[in-house]
Each structure stands twice: as C-alpha cells, then as structure tokens.
Amino acid sequence: MSELLGKLTAELADKVGLIPDELISKINQNINPPETLTADNVHIRAMYIVSDQINSQGGCFPEDEYQNLTKLLIDSPVLIGHRKDTLPIARNFYAEKVVRDNINWVKAYFYWLKASDNDENLKNNIDAGIYKECSISFIFNFPECTICGADIRECRHRPFHQYDTPSGEKREAYFNYRGIEKVLETSLVYRGSVNDTSITKELSYFQPEEKTSNAKQALSRSSQFKRIWSLDNLSANQQYLVLPAYEALPMILTCKNGQNELCDINGIAISCKGLDAPLSKLPIPNGEFVFDCRLIGYRGKERQR
C-alpha cells in the first residue's frame, strides 16, 4: 500500500479477541476495581460452567436455579484445580443463561490483567484448547430427589439407579441442587464434573428465543462493527478482519429452505424486482443463514452515494 489512488475507510467486522464495551462496563460496575479498567488492560474469556445435564456426582442444576446462580457467580475467583492455597488467576464478573446445542447452560465471563504474571501464557493455553474444561465450587441447602422430591440423602433412591414410578415407567434417579447460597470459586480443571464444559473466547452470544427475528439477531452483530480511518493504529500483534466501509444502505438477507428475504435495518421486508434475479443466483447451501449486507448504488460503472 505504498501507492494509493484514493482514500478508503474501513470497519472492523470481527477482531479476534475483540472486547465489547458492555463487558468492560460490567467489570467496572460489578467488581469496582480501585482503578477503572479498559479493554487495553485486560483479557476476557468465558466458561460454559454448568448445564442442566446430570453430572458425574448424580446432581443437576435445574434451569429455574439459573437466575440466582448467575448473580452468585459475580465477583467469585477463578482458580486452578480448586486449589485454595494459591491466589486467584482471574475473576468472574458477569454470567448469563444461554442455550448451546439445545442444552441450557450458565456462561460465566472472567477477566485477568494483561500486566499480570503469565498473562499471555494463560491466554494462549485457553485459545489453543490446552486449558479446556472448568468446574464450580458452591454451597447449597437441599439435594432434591427427582423420584420422590425428598432429601436424597435420606430417601431410598440412589443416583443412576432405575426405579418404578406411579405412571408405571422406570426412571433413573438423580438429584437437583436446590437453595444454592454461595459460589465459592470456579476453576480450570483437567476434567469437569459436568459433561462438555468449555472455555471460549466467544464474548457475545445470541439467544434465539430472545430475538424477534433472525434479521434483528444479525443487526445486533452488525452494531459491533468499529469504523476506522487508518490502518496504522492497528496492533501488529493482533488479527483483524477488515471490510471496506462503503457508503451504502445496511441490509439483512435471510435465507431459509431456498427462500431469500431482504430486510432493512428495521426488519421490514424489501421487495424489488431488480434484486430478485441476483439474489436467486447466490451460491447459498441448503439450510438457514443470515447475511449482513450493504446495498450499493451504481450508475454505469460509477458508484453512487
């Protein structure tokens, strides 16, 4: 790019490790550090920490406990292997209920300082899948038997055993964690008690049941774009996806079962005969997809405002 024939503005469509401003605000609000933190100070990752599947102990976190659990996770420390003889390596500052692969999960977000010891080692090991699983330590009041509803320590039912029910069917017993009082810590571990726990650098998650349409879901993602005027300020140590920032109308293209629908930024469908032919020729595979698009006007070979 030593010779330029014109000026180009660009937008960061997706930067690996990009930290949304909302998460930085949650750190400062929920943790209230002595000095206000910025995206330049911290690394942030998230852990899928518990699900509503039966764990290796025969216990289960039912979905109706998640609202309380997400609050209790805030300001809890992150340890290695549940070891309490060492100081925390990070801190949880926000948690939410999400759905992943049709399973309910609690997703906890944690941060650590870039200036801390081994900060890059921790980030690199997480992102490379070396540090992959996680676990939670907590206090709860009542292990509710799923067969009879009593305290499973006192009833005759045992986790993972089959029992007859009044309906005549056999059902495996397990217990629900009820009355969760406190989260002591979360840990990076070699194997989690809950199946398929994981740690991720995906810092935003769209929950379909909370969106009125796929178009609005894609527009939410579009709002994370950052307009830039020079590439000189981008760090040489980071990876970016940079797209030209055309003067254009933002559009959302929804494709489902071979049918294409174009909407404006308000989710209102747009019907234009001139667009039908090119839309029908797009090489889109079977399935359901949502595309963030820009509608650019041309007169001959000249791009219009």
Side-chain angles (χ1 to χ4, degrees):
M1 296 183 68
S2 59
E3 295 184 6
L4 297 178
L5 301 180
K7 285 196 171 183
L8 174 71
T9 59
E11 57 188 358
L12 297 180
D14 186 22
K15 171 179 176 291
V16 177
L18 179 67
I19 300 177
D21 294 338
E22 294 81 3
L23 291 183
I24 296 298
S25 296
K26 289 185 182 298
I27 293 177
N28 291 310
Q29 293 170 4
N30 295 340
I31 306 302
N32 191 25
E35 296 184 5
T36 300
L37 297 177
T38 68
D40 295 329
N41 303 137
V42 300
H43 295 295
I44 297 179
R45 294 297 182 266
M47 57 179 78
Y48 292 95
I49 188 69
V50 299
S51 74
D52 57 1
Q53 305 298 294
I54 304 170
N55 63 25
S56 61
Q57 308 298 317
C60 175
F61 292 87
E63 184 183 359
D64 55 5
E65 293 283 349
Y66 284 9
Q67 183 176 2
N68 181 48
L69 184 57
T70 56
K71 295 177 181 178
L72 296 175
L73 275 161
I74 294 175
D75 207 14
S76 61
V78 180
L79 307 180
I80 296 290
H82 296 299
R83 289 189 56 181
K84 299 179 177 62
D85 59 341
T86 59
L87 292 174
I89 60 168
R91 186 158 293 271
N92 297 300
F93 66 92
Y94 173 63
E96 62 180 345
K97 177 208 163 187
V98 300
V99 178
R100 184 182 67 166
D101 298 330
N102 297 318
I103 295 175
N104 295 311
W105 283 89
V106 170
K107 183 179 181 182
Y109 295 75
F110 61 99
Y111 79 98
W112 67 99
L113 294 178
K114 290 183 178 180
S116 60
D117 294 339
N118 298 316
D119 68 301
E120 283 294 320
N121 285 338
L122 178 58
K123 178 181 76 69
N124 292 337
N125 279 302
I126 289 175
D127 293 348
I130 306 300
Y131 299 165
K132 188 176 182 180
E133 300 194 40
C134 49
S135 181
I136 186 172
S137 176
F138 60 101
I139 298 172
F140 72 105
N141 286 324
F142 183 61
E144 176 190 56
C145 174
T146 56
I147 300 296
C148 66
D151 189 325
I152 201 167
R153 296 168 298 183
E154 299 176 355
C155 69
R156 67 182 182 88
H157 305 116
R158 294 294 175 263
F160 306 118
H161 287 254
Q162 296 279 342
Y163 295 94
D164 292 324
T165 62
S167 63
E169 63 179 355
K170 285 186 175 293
R171 198 168 70 207
E172 186 176 85
Y174 60 95
F175 63 92
N176 291 318
Y177 296 109
R178 294 296 187 188
I180 301 173
E181 285 188 353
K182 187 175 184 179
V183 171
L184 301 176
E185 44 89 7
T186 64
S187 281
L188 311 185
V189 295
Y190 69 90
R191 183 67 72 190
S193 176
V194 177
N195 286 335
D196 299 323
T197 63
S198 63
I199 306 171
T200 178
K201 60 183 177 182
E202 179 188 345
L203 300 182
S204 60
Y205 194 97
F206 301 120
Q207 301 182 59
E209 70 273 15
E210 294 182 359
K211 307 298 181 182
T212 57
S213 68
N214 286 333
K216 288 187 177 180
Q217 177 175 333
L219 284 170
S220 178
R221 179 161 184 328
S222 300
S223 66
Q224 298 176 27
F225 289 178
K226 304 293 183 181
R227 181 65 64 93
I228 59 176
W229 303 99
S230 170
L231 303 182
D232 297 336
N233 295 327
L234 301 183
S235 171
N237 299 321
Q238 298 289 337
Q239 298 180 28
Y240 304 84
L241 174 63
V242 183
L243 298 179
Y246 297 114
E247 291 192 67
L249 299 176
M251 298 285 172
I252 297 299
L253 177 62
T254 302
C255 305
K256 184 177 181 181
N257 299 326
Q259 300 295 319
N260 300 333
E261 181 182 46
L262 194 65
C263 298
D264 64 12
I265 59 174
N266 296 313
I268 299 175
I270 295 174
S271 178
C272 178
K273 292 182 179 180
L275 294 174
D276 291 341
L279 287 179
S280 65
K281 296 179 181 179
L282 291 176
I284 301 172
N286 293 329
E288 184 174 353
F289 301 90
V290 179
F291 298 94
D292 175 32
C293 310
R294 297 296 182 269
L295 188 61
I296 304 171
Y298 277 87
R299 177 178 297 145
K301 294 183 178 180
E302 181 180 355
R303 192 169 70 230
Q304 303 297 302
R305 293 179 61 85

